[in-house]
Amino acid sequence: GCFLVKPGQLPALYETARFTVAVRNDHASTLKAWAIAPNGARLAELPLKRREDRVILASDTAKLSCGPVFFFELAER
């Protein structure tokens, strides 16, 4: 197994990234995306591109209005 020998100190250093994700889904026309805080709260709705039965999320975490995040949510509501 893996063990954390020395926990880091706050504040944590976030490394930003640019990415594009395409998801095929029967409900693509009604899906929305959000940047999510570590506690699960929705921080900001993110724009999606739609193509037939797909949604495409392109993001640069350094440019998010809510700051860099690790978590994203894709849902109908």
Side-chain angles (χ1 to χ4, degrees):
C2 295
F3 297 92
L4 180 61
V5 176
K6 180 181 174 192
Q9 296 178 354
L10 294 176
L13 175 62
Y14 284 90
E15 188 167 332
T16 59
R18 281 179 277 176
F19 65 88
T20 301
V21 176
V23 176
R24 183 173 291 141
N25 188 286
D26 291 339
H27 304 283
S29 64
T30 58
L31 291 177
K32 294 185 176 188
W34 292 271
I36 302 295
N39 68 358
R42 290 177 175 169
L43 297 173
E45 187 172 341
L46 305 174
L48 290 172
K49 293 181 182 178
R50 299 173 201 290
R51 294 206 179 113
E52 299 169 11
D53 62 345
R54 279 187 222 158
V55 290
I56 301 165
L57 171 63
S59 185
D60 181 342
T61 61
K63 295 180 180 178
L64 292 173
S65 62
C66 56
V69 297
F70 285 120
F71 306 104
F72 298 87
E73 178 183 6
L74 192 61
E76 283 190 277
R77 295 186 241 153

